[in-house]
Structure formats: C-alpha cells, structure tokens
Amino acid sequence: MPKIIFVTGGIVSGLWKWVITASIAKILQSAWLKIWVLKMDPYLQVDAGTMSPYEHWECYVTYDGWETDLDLGNYERFLGTYLSKKSNVTTWQIYLSVIEKERAWKYLWKTVQIVPHITNEIKDRILEVANKNDITIVEVGWTVWDIESAPFLEAIRQLKRDLGRENVFYIHLALLLELDFSGEIKTKPIQHSIIKLREYGITADMLVCRTSKSMSEKIKQKISMLCDIDENSVIEWKNVETIYEVPEKLQEQNVWNIILQHFWITKNINLNDWDEVVKKIKNPKKEVNILLVGKYTKFDDTYKSVLEAFKHAGAELETKVNIKLLESEEIEKNPEILEKLKKEWFVDGIIVPGWFGKRWIKWMMEAVKFARENNIPFLWICLGMQVAVMEFAKNVCKLEDVNSEEFDENAKNKVIALMEEQKNIKNLWWTMRLGHYEAVLEKWSLAYKLYGEEKILERHRHRYEVNPAYHKILQEKWLVLSWKSPNWKLVEFIELKNHPYFIATQAHPEFQSSLQKAHPLFVGLVKASLNS
Ligand code: GLN
C-alpha cells in the first residue's frame, strides 16, 4: 500500500509550510526510503508561468519543462533530487482533465460533479506518484480556511478510507499566537484550525506550531488536550538561523520516529552529512559582497533560487555571501550608483538574473559595461546573457542600432532573435524552450573548467537566442561562445577572455543548485569574488 503524509496549514498563510514538507522529506530520505513530494496548488492557473513575480514570487521550472510554484524548488534544494511536472497539481489542471474526459464521453449518462469526479481526479494524481515511492509527502497549498482548498481536503480525507488509517498521516501547521501587548500565548486560533480540519473529517496526527518563543510543557499539554493530539506529536517550530536547520530541529523532537511508527516502518535516519553543511553555513570563515541587479527586487522570493544558490555556494566555500538587491531602475535614477556601491559597499561580484520585458534593458547594459570594464567578476543568467551580448555588440563590436527581436523587431542588428523554427508558431507557450537541454562544452572553456564535464544539462525558460548571423563577429572580438546545444546550434554560454570571471548562460543554473550540491557557476562566482 502507498504511504502518504499530508501537510495542511491553518490560521494564516505565509507560515512557510514548505519548510516542514521539505524537512520531513529530507529526514525520511536519510533513512534510505524512496521519497516523492507533491504540491497541490488551489489557484486557477494551469501552471505558474503566467503569474506576476510581484504577486507569486519566482516561477520555478522542473527538468521536464513545467513552470511551477517556487515550492518545488524548495523541495529539490533539500532533497538534492529532481521532481517533475507530476509534483505540481493545480485546480485548473484537475478541471481541465475532467472536462476533457466529459467531452470524450468518459462519464456518459452520469452527472459530472465535484464529488466524485474532481476528487477522484485529485486522488488519481496523488496515487500515480505514491504507488511508485515508499513515502509521498503531499503539501496542500493555502490554508484549510480557503474555499478553493475544499475539493483537495475532501480528496485527502477520502484517501484515508481508500488506503487505510495506517497508511496516511496528517500534519497540520498553525501559528501559535503571541499577543504583543501582553506577551501572552494564545492557543485558541490553533484549536479553531483543528476544528476546521475536523469539519472535513480529518484528524491531525501531528501539529506543528509556528512560534517565535519556546513552548512550555504546559502549553503543549493544553494544546494536546484541547486538540486531541498526542503530546509528543505537538511539535515546536521556532525561528532558526537558517531554514536548513529545521530537519535537525524536527529530528530532535522525534518527528521521524512518530511518522515511521505510524507506518509500521523500522528504519534509522542519518542526517550527519546534512548537519555538516548546515554547520558551515552557520560558521563562515570568509565574507564576500555580491550585488544583484534585477528587475523585481521588492521581494526576496522573486529570486528565491538565485539567493539559495549563493547560500549553497557559500556553504561549500565556508563563506558568508552578503547580497545587495539593486533594482535596475535605480541605475536610471542615479547613473553613478554602481560606482558608488563599488566604493562604499565594496562590491566583489555582480549577478544579473533572468527576467521578461523590455523595461530597463538600457540600464542593465550599463551594468554589463561597468562589470566588464572594471574587471568585476560576474554571472549573467538568461536575459542577462542576452543583454551582455547586446552590450558587447554595441560597445565592443561597434554595431549600430543593436537590439533583441523581443524588444524591437525593426532594429538593424537583432543580435538576439527567434530561431527560424519558432517563427510560425503562434501559441507563445510553444515557442518557449523549457526544461532540460543539453550543452556541449569546449574543453578549453571556463564553463568546462567549472563543470568538469563536456556534456551538461541545464534548465531553460526563454524564447529568444543569440542570432547565428552574429556568432562570427562576436567571436572575433571576444567572446568565447562556449557552447552550443548540439542539435540547434544554440549558444548556451558566453565568456569573455582576459577577465577574472565573466560568464553568462542562456539557462537558469540556479534551478539546479541544492544544499549538498552547490552549482559550479555560483561557486565559481563566489570564488572569483573572494579573490577580487
Ligand atoms: N525574455 C527572454 C527570452 O524569452 C529571457 C527570459 C528569461 O530571462 N527567463 O528569451
């Protein structure tokens, strides 16, 4: 029988349920169990590709080319393994599938309803992965109070009947409220959250309390009594220095044992390797300052994977990586800002992550010029690489009216363009290069030195490419176009000769960095920045 852990949330959203999901997945993975994680997102989109970076943070991409919620990235960074499009279920995917089946007469003479048709579809999606793994952890997005969550909660309740009580385990995460004017701890919201869950017929096996202070025994006993949950299964989740510490904190409270006993599994866990890396994050020996010039810098989570990749690289090099976010608009308002930051904030390295849209391209090009001319180590990702090519074509190759076809179809020198094969495709989604693509690296390139391999796979999320008509002229002047994906002859990396660290990639390397396997391009940037 498949074994499934369900993680729900209550009272408020934004408690970072994913940290609990990912940490439990990590702990159980360390017992040599085959683990899978699935996120159910109640929003109405089919995928996260069309969501605003301001509203819904980063859009993550799986290796098989699915645009998902950033939580999948969080899980992968903990597990160090790849999940797939099967790990992301949204309301609209479920409805779309039911509607398609209805049109194909699969439910002939039946009334198609939320229960059982929508709920069955949800259950099928869960069981599809659960049947192939030892333990599957399903995070139900949003809170148990949201209307949109209802069909998901009904489906996960039914699975208890379908699979048997001993094969499902329900974890609820809720906020332990502290009244800031009196310092008093209030358990009533938690009690109500548990009552709400029970309205769906779900009894929590474990309650994780998000709290800023340590929980007293008395509070635990009270919650245990009033919520009808074993005292040992009332777990405290206090703020920690780094989220990567949470598995250890849960381990200390015996979370793994409670879950494995429930499932009748006898296994031991071993988080020693993981804890070693966490120790390195907490005790850095060196420090480095990296400037992130981006388009959406209001929320850290917009660049979640990039910021995490620096933590991983920092851990590997026992270095604290300080990141300063600079909105590219600032360069427009204050053209001296880069110079000023270099002097006053001691910029050691620069990164420009990917983005969509024309705004501020001109100022990003200024940032390229600044890093290029001042020999500052830098890494450019996706649109960042395209802008680097544009800057080089304009200022070094001295081409006139340089642009990307994305921004000016009539520009004289469209150094970034759609490939011929893409031109007749009308549906924008189909012109996207999404997911894993192979690149073959030249043996003498910096990229090869960093990766240590000739053939690599990186994740992509873009439409435009370096225009083949300009490969030659770019190469003459600089640029190591290192190198092209084998079939389409697409440029995957560019590098600048005679520069301490100048590398740009059309891919999104940040999606493949995990705590126990830092990404070579980020490690390379931090290393070069330490020497700058
Ligand atoms: N807008 C660019 C393209 O579609 C790059 C997108 C990105 O940075 N992810 O090619």
Side-chain angles (χ1 to χ4, degrees):
M1 269 291 173
K3 306 208 176 322
I4 310 176
I5 299 170
F6 294 104
V7 184
T8 56
I11 306 175
V12 284
S13 58
L15 294 180
W16 294 2
K17 230 177 358 257
W18 68 265
V19 176
I20 293 302
T21 308
S23 300
I24 288 175
K26 184 74 220 171
I27 300 174
L28 298 176
Q29 184 197 46
S30 82
W32 295 99
L33 289 161
K34 204 169 159 216
I35 301 296
W36 192 267
V37 188
L38 186 153
K39 168 93 190 272
M40 302 205 292
D41 267 318
Y43 52 69
L44 290 182
Q45 259 99 340
V46 172
D47 65 41
T50 54
M51 287 186 167
S52 155
Y54 286 126
E55 222 181 87
H56 209 78
W57 331 130
E58 175 188 84
C59 169
Y60 191 73
V61 181
T62 56
Y63 81 91
D64 56 348
W66 198 248
E67 295 175 294
T68 76
D69 186 82
L70 87 173
D71 279 347
L72 260 75
N74 289 324
Y75 309 150
E76 287 193 342
R77 283 186 277 275
F78 272 65
L79 288 172
T81 53
Y82 295 161
L83 298 167
S84 72
K85 62 170 82 166
K86 294 211 159 70
S87 281
N88 186 224
V89 176
T90 68
T91 296
W92 207 244
Q93 285 173 32
I94 298 292
Y95 274 78
L96 203 61
S97 168
V98 169
I99 290 165
E100 275 166 10
K101 285 182 185 163
E102 190 273 331
R103 291 290 83 185
W105 292 10
K106 292 265 167 62
Y107 312 119
L108 206 55
W109 317 129
K110 299 249 170 24
T111 308
V112 182
Q113 292 174 296
I114 292 187
V115 182
H117 299 95
I118 294 294
T119 45
N120 279 353
E121 195 67 32
I122 295 172
K123 290 197 291 183
D124 287 350
R125 290 288 301 268
I126 296 172
L127 290 172
E128 192 187 347
V129 290
N131 280 324
K132 294 188 193 120
N133 290 280
D134 295 330
I135 299 181
T136 298
I137 302 155
V138 178
E139 178 177 332
V140 185
W142 305 10
T143 70
V144 291
W145 300 83
D146 295 302
I147 297 173
E148 293 88 341
S149 306
F152 293 100
L153 294 167
E154 170 61 14
I156 70 168
R157 176 195 69 79
Q158 289 183 14
L159 279 169
K160 170 181 66 189
R161 290 186 62 84
D162 297 346
L163 302 176
R165 190 67 188 90
E166 67 284 11
N167 293 313
V168 297
F169 191 88
Y170 298 103
I171 300 178
H172 190 62
L173 168 68
L175 179 73
L176 186 61
L177 189 70
E178 184 190 345
L179 303 179
D180 61 359
F181 50 88
S182 62
E184 209 182 335
I185 305 285
K186 289 290 179 193
T187 63
K188 192 73 80 198
I190 286 189
Q191 293 173 43
H192 278 272
S193 204
I194 291 289
I195 291 169
K196 185 78 194 164
L197 204 55
R198 274 201 219 117
E199 278 176 22
Y200 286 102
I202 298 170
T203 312
D205 296 299
M206 181 177 279
L207 174 73
V208 180
C209 305
R210 186 84 161 95
T211 166
S212 47
K213 281 197 187 134
S214 292
M215 288 167 74
S216 66
E217 279 309 307
K218 214 169 121 210
I219 292 283
K220 279 197 180 178
Q221 279 159 6
K222 185 175 171 190
I223 293 175
S224 163
M225 171 59 80
L226 297 174
C227 296
D228 196 17
I229 293 172
D230 282 352
E231 204 183 317
N232 291 342
S233 301
V234 177
I235 306 297
E236 164 191 298
W237 174 18
K238 219 169 65 171
N239 294 346
V240 277
E241 211 178 306
T242 153
I243 43 150
Y244 296 111
E245 239 179 297
V246 176
E248 196 188 322
K249 297 286 167 212
L250 297 182
Q251 180 194 1
E252 283 164 12
Q253 296 176 75
N254 219 14
V255 164
W256 61 280
N257 215 358
I258 298 169
I259 296 172
L260 291 185
Q261 270 181 13
H262 178 95
F263 288 143
W264 294 88
I265 296 175
T266 34
K267 288 252 187 192
N268 253 328
I269 58 161
N270 180 353
L271 281 174
N272 292 352
D273 292 348
W274 177 268
D275 293 343
E276 277 307 307
V277 190
V278 176
K279 248 187 237 148
K280 284 191 191 165
I281 295 189
K282 289 172 72 181
N283 305 297
K285 297 199 170 77
K286 292 158 271 178
E287 206 167 328
V288 86
N289 292 340
I290 304 279
L291 181 69
L292 185 154
V293 189
K295 188 175 164 188
Y296 327 94
T297 51
K298 293 206 171 57
F299 306 102
D300 285 7
D301 273 359
T302 309
Y303 299 116
K304 181 78 182 162
S305 296
V306 170
L307 299 181
E308 292 305 311
F310 277 117
K311 287 188 194 148
H312 310 153
E316 184 169 320
L317 300 167
E318 296 182 77
T319 300
K320 179 164 186 262
V321 183
N322 303 313
I323 307 268
K324 193 178 203 53
L325 301 176
L326 175 71
E327 194 158 271
S328 34
E329 189 188 16
E330 289 300 315
I331 310 178
E332 180 175 20
K333 285 194 209 139
N334 177 5
E336 305 299 309
I337 191 145
L338 292 171
E339 197 60 58
K340 195 164 167 252
L341 284 171
K342 185 172 167 256
K343 283 204 191 97
E344 288 169 16
W345 193 68
F346 308 108
V347 176
D348 297 309
I350 300 181
I351 180 150
V352 176
W355 76 101
F356 284 80
K358 180 180 181 164
R359 219 148 49 110
W360 302 324
I361 290 287
K362 186 170 162 230
W363 301 104
M364 291 293 198
M365 282 165 76
E366 284 306 310
V368 182
K369 190 162 177 267
F370 180 78
R372 187 171 56 75
E373 292 180 347
N374 288 287
N375 279 333
I376 299 176
F378 72 101
L379 172 61
W380 298 78
I381 294 175
C382 208
L383 190 55
M385 177 180 112
Q386 300 175 356
V387 172
V389 170
M390 283 153 63
E391 192 273 335
F392 195 83
K394 181 176 168 221
N395 293 329
V396 181
C397 305
K398 304 283 181 218
L399 297 177
E400 280 168 26
D401 191 15
V402 167
N403 217 325
S404 159
E405 190 176 353
E406 182 177 5
F407 309 131
D408 182 4
E409 283 181 15
N410 302 317
K412 193 167 158 201
N413 288 299
K414 286 177 284 204
V415 288
I416 307 295
L418 276 184
M419 303 299 280
E420 283 308 315
E421 299 87 321
Q422 292 167 290
K423 288 206 169 138
N424 295 325
I425 306 173
K426 292 282 170 280
N427 181 334
L428 279 184
W429 198 77
W430 293 111
T431 56
M432 287 281 268
R433 197 145 73 102
L434 282 167
H436 262 178
Y437 281 83
E438 191 178 68
V440 183
L441 307 175
E442 301 283 3
K443 284 244 165 96
W444 37 261
S445 65
L446 172 63
Y448 178 79
K449 206 170 129 204
L450 292 165
Y451 282 90
E453 279 170 284
E454 204 181 339
K455 282 191 181 166
I456 57 140
L457 288 167
E458 282 289 4
R459 291 186 206 178
H460 288 248
R461 182 179 183 240
H462 63 102
R463 228 170 251 122
Y464 293 83
E465 308 286 346
V466 179
N467 188 341
Y470 293 86
H471 288 183
K472 201 156 168 268
I473 178 164
L474 292 167
Q475 275 170 302
E476 272 164 16
K477 289 279 182 193
W478 82 359
L479 261 195
V480 182
L481 301 180
S482 103
W483 209 201
K484 307 169 184 183
S485 55
N487 307 336
W488 270 22
K489 301 229 177 298
L490 305 175
V491 175
E492 295 286 354
F493 292 88
I494 58 165
E495 300 168 15
L496 183 59
K497 290 178 205 148
N498 305 325
H499 190 284
Y501 190 87
F502 176 120
I503 186 155
T505 169
Q506 191 57 78
H508 284 275
E510 70 274 22
F511 293 153
Q512 304 220 113
S513 181
S514 59
L515 183 70
Q516 289 173 294
K517 199 168 185 290
H519 194 285
L521 293 181
F522 285 85
V523 175
L525 177 63
V526 175
K527 225 185 234 172
S529 304
L530 277 169
N531 298 332
S532 81

